[in-house]
Amino acid sequence: MSDRRNAVMRTVAVAGPVGVAAGAALLHGVLANTSAALVLVLVVVAVGVAGDRTAGVLAALSAAAAFDFFLTEPYHRFAILDRVDVETALLLLAIGVAVTEIAQWGRRQQARAQRREGYLTGVATAARLAADGTPDHDLVATVERMITDVLDLDGCRFDPTHARRTDRPVLGRDGTVVWHGRVVDVERDGLPTMDTIELPAGRRGTNGRFLLVASSGVRRPDLESRLVAVTLAEQVDAPVRAAEPDR
């Protein structure tokens, strides 16, 4: 979600419930507080679904405050004397926060499903290129690009030589990163940024290696993403013409 859209939704989150409550106050003689609260709930739900977490929480707070200020006695003061009105205000706040969290959870699930679909498409594409006998440089270039995208790297380059440096971190077939004999907690500490990471190519890991660079910032790809990168690297399973080795 863009910064501009976030700013707009947060403005709506604050102003929307205030406007609705002010309008409901004008109809106080014909509109019960419970009905006005339901309208405020609709506003909060709409903001919670359309905006980010901050917008949803702001809408919930604004709705509770506006309900107190415009719709409960004493009017136009932040004070509630009636127990039922207190409960209504608290319910507005609780519903707003709950709806926001549910909406955020749904977005995360949707994003995860889209990533998985993209991963499957990428692996299928690489496997098809390998099976079709695509020229080595085309297959390697495709896999390099896909690994870079999956792990959010600065760069990825294939090195067909077999000589590997033992002091470098290695992304293994099980998705773990080992550096100096120690397993790196990638999801906590991120990928190593001080050195190039080696990812063995081919199903036996003997057909060269992909050199991964993540030096410009901390990247924390999850295990699923790392396993996808390993699967992509396995598609380069035939010896590739030698190139200038990494230095």
Side-chain angles (χ1 to χ4, degrees):
M1 191 175 293
S2 67
D3 292 340
R4 180 180 177 81
R5 177 176 169 79
N6 282 337
V8 171
M9 290 306 303
R10 291 169 187 177
T11 301
V12 172
V14 174
V18 172
V20 169
L26 298 177
L27 302 174
H28 185 70
V30 295
L31 186 66
N33 278 2
T34 52
S35 299
L38 288 175
V39 177
L40 286 171
V41 166
L42 291 178
V43 176
V44 172
V45 169
V47 172
V49 171
D52 60 1
R53 176 180 282 106
T54 301
V57 172
L58 285 174
L61 291 171
S62 177
F67 180 81
D68 175 9
F69 189 80
F70 289 104
L71 300 174
T72 65
E73 296 180 352
Y75 298 116
H76 303 147
R77 289 176 56 192
F78 288 108
I80 304 178
L81 302 180
D82 187 85
R83 182 180 62 83
V84 174
D85 288 338
V86 172
E87 292 175 352
T88 303
L90 291 176
L91 281 173
L92 275 172
L93 182 59
I95 290 172
V97 173
V99 167
T100 298
E101 290 304 315
I102 292 171
Q104 294 300 315
W105 177 83
R107 288 196 188 96
R108 289 194 297 270
Q109 294 299 109
Q110 183 181 25
R112 186 174 301 170
Q114 290 173 342
R115 283 199 305 271
R116 286 177 177 169
E117 182 180 358
Y119 294 161
L120 291 174
T121 300
V123 171
T125 299
R128 185 173 64 253
L129 291 174
D132 290 346
T134 300
D136 293 339
H137 63 277
D138 290 342
L139 173 60
V140 167
T142 299
V143 172
E144 286 174 342
R145 184 178 66 255
M146 290 180 176
I147 291 175
T148 299
D149 291 342
V150 166
L151 299 180
D152 189 27
L153 301 171
D154 294 321
C156 171
R157 181 172 66 83
F158 180 71
D159 178 5
T161 63
H162 298 289
R164 61 174 298 267
R165 287 173 42 177
T166 58
D167 60 328
R168 277 178 171 165
V170 177
L171 174 55
R173 295 188 64 182
D174 60 354
T176 59
V177 176
V178 178
W179 195 13
H180 299 306
R182 181 180 66 87
V183 175
V184 178
D185 189 341
V186 175
E187 296 188 25
R188 185 191 68 185
D189 302 325
L191 293 171
T193 59
M194 302 301 292
D195 204 347
T196 300
I197 305 164
E198 295 193 2
L199 170 58
R203 290 177 176 81
R204 294 180 298 278
T206 58
N207 292 325
R209 62 241 170 105
F210 287 91
L211 304 176
L212 318 179
V213 178
S215 58
S216 67
V218 178
R219 270 72 171 205
R220 297 184 176 88
D222 58 18
L223 178 60
E224 184 179 40
S225 300
R226 303 196 301 272
L227 289 173
V228 170
V230 170
T231 303
L232 288 168
E234 289 178 347
Q235 305 312 308
V236 183
D237 200 33
V240 179
R241 185 180 70 255
E244 184 180 354
D246 176 63
R247 289 184 174 85

